Amino acid sequence: YRFLQIDSWWYYQDEKSWGTHGIKNWTAKPDIFPNGLDYVYNHTKWPYVAHNRFWSNNTDYAKQNGGHFKFCMDDKKSFPLEQRFWDFLFDYGKSWGLYVYEQDWLIGEDDMNHCTLSSATNARTWLLQMGKSAHERGIYIQYCMESSRFVLQSVEIPQVTQVRASEDYKPGSDQWRIGITSIFGDALALAPLKDNFWSNRSEIGRYGTQVEEYPDLQAAVSTLSTASVLPSDSMFTPNVSLILKSVRADGMLLKPDSPAKMTDNAIISQLPSPCSLSSSSSSSSTPTSNIIGDIWISHSYVSG
């Protein structure tokens, strides 16, 4: 492995926030990392891809709650307003090996938030401040739970290198089908991330008795996405032989030069026919062909 991705279970959250838990304090909980994040990094040398979500209006960082930074307060969420907040946060992250900052719940931070809905510039300024601090510290950014406007905004923020192109992984789902969303990401020079996956058929965990029936498909899509490849089996159960098909002997990912994308003809084949579009019959969703499935294409340049 080359890095460790940690999701939303490692930091302090506030149960009072909008619909789910907002960030109270972005530090590691001692019951999860008793010796701190830096202890793991120093022993493994694996840099972190670290998750974050929207800020609670009870966040410890806000001046309104006794903190040191100016926040805009909404009913249950809040919004950082100062460049020096991101400088502080990413300095802290660098101290324990932060390499990629995953900003999740983007749509939750932006929608139904007075701080962004009452201003034409607050949301852009927030993302630019985040990107500036990340650039100065050599940290990259992944956008997650983003709408198209966030993806377009990334054009001004070179530190944003990847975006989630799928829903959250769940064995048995078709969230691997990123052939269309990859077109959007690739057009903006962003790697479309499929999310994690189980690499074997025997893994049992948070999804009850559901197992991953197609780990080879999950691994192939992840590799061809040009984004991170994220096997998430328990520590002692990964399918090592399958995972190693995605990398060279030194751990370098064997990814193509552009992400695999659905072909134009494959997209057209799944559209309703012109005749059925003008019909009021129940067959209005009939595809123009009998093809069931996706056809994707990618390429790699080989020297010599």
Side-chain angles (χ1 to χ4, degrees):
Y1 296 113
R2 287 295 189 90
F3 63 91
L4 180 64
Q5 176 154 336
I6 49 178
D7 209 343
S8 59
W9 38 262
W10 65 273
Y11 49 73
Y12 292 93
Q13 302 176 26
D14 180 3
E15 296 185 2
K16 298 179 181 179
S17 296
W18 170 83
T20 183
H21 311 298
I23 286 285
K24 192 171 190 303
N25 194 301
W26 202 59
T27 54
K29 294 189 287 188
D31 58 324
I32 297 176
F33 289 97
N35 297 309
L37 290 162
D38 56 331
Y39 179 86
V40 178
Y41 173 69
N42 290 332
H43 280 72
T44 64
K45 302 306 178 185
W46 294 341
Y48 288 100
V49 179
H51 179 279
N52 203 357
R53 55 174 63 206
F54 63 88
W55 301 96
S56 164
N57 67 354
N58 286 324
T59 180
D60 298 333
Y61 302 115
K63 285 185 176 180
Q64 295 90 327
N65 300 322
H68 299 288
F69 305 101
K70 185 178 179 181
F71 273 63
C72 175
M73 291 298 189
D74 195 35
D75 181 31
K76 293 186 177 180
K77 293 183 285 187
S78 64
F79 194 85
L81 296 174
E82 296 184 81
Q83 182 70 62
R84 67 188 188 94
F85 168 75
W86 292 106
D87 295 343
F88 161 81
L89 196 74
F90 288 157
D91 281 340
Y92 165 68
K94 288 293 287 186
S95 73
W96 44 258
L98 177 64
Y99 184 63
V100 178
Y101 174 76
E102 179 190 354
Q103 182 60 69
D104 198 358
W105 284 90
L106 277 166
I107 197 169
E109 181 78 272
D110 190 48
D111 287 10
M112 294 179 283
N113 188 336
H114 166 77
C115 303
T116 54
L117 297 179
S118 63
S119 168
T121 59
N122 270 353
R124 175 176 176 268
T125 300
W126 159 54
L127 295 175
L128 290 176
Q129 288 177 348
M130 181 194 306
K132 181 177 184 294
S133 292
H135 174 73
E136 291 172 350
R137 290 155 181 80
I139 295 170
Y140 295 95
I141 298 173
Q142 175 197 134
Y143 283 173
C144 188
M145 203 171 167
E146 74 284 354
S147 60
S148 56
R149 60 182 177 271
F150 291 103
V151 182
L152 292 170
Q153 178 58 53
S154 73
V155 172
E156 287 192 285
I157 310 169
Q159 292 307 108
V160 180
T161 58
Q162 51 186 297
V163 292
R164 270 284 294 278
S166 72
E167 296 179 351
D168 289 351
Y169 170 71
K170 182 179 180 181
S173 72
D174 65 351
Q175 63 83 232
W176 59 269
R177 299 182 70 176
I178 62 173
I180 293 179
T181 47
S182 293
I183 297 173
F184 190 20
D186 187 42
L188 297 171
L190 297 170
L193 180 68
K194 187 210 76 71
D195 200 20
N196 63 296
F197 66 96
W198 286 347
S199 67
N200 67 67
R201 294 181 173 85
S202 60
E203 183 75 27
I204 299 285
R206 60 179 295 189
Y207 307 106
T209 59
Q210 185 71 52
V211 298
E212 177 54 63
E213 297 287 350
Y214 306 105
D216 297 75
L217 172 65
Q218 299 287 341
V221 170
S222 294
T223 305
L224 293 173
S225 74
T226 70
S228 302
V229 176
L230 303 172
S232 57
D233 314 89
S234 59
M235 184 179 299
F236 303 107
T237 61
N239 185 338
V240 176
S241 61
L242 175 61
I243 294 171
L244 290 180
K245 291 180 180 179
S246 298
V247 298
R248 300 187 317 199
D250 63 356
M252 178 69 71
L253 285 175
L254 298 172
K255 60 184 181 180
D257 287 323
S258 69
K261 301 176 287 291
M262 200 168 180
T263 64
D264 292 347
N265 285 341
I267 295 172
I268 293 170
S269 73
Q270 296 187 11
L271 296 174
S273 68
C275 293
S276 65
L277 284 173
S278 62
S279 171
S280 60
S281 68
S282 60
S283 62
S284 61
S285 61
T286 303
T288 57
S289 76
N290 293 322
I291 296 175
I292 299 176
D294 291 2
I295 302 174
W296 297 4
I297 189 170
S298 183
H299 71 273
S300 291
Y301 293 104
V302 180
S303 62

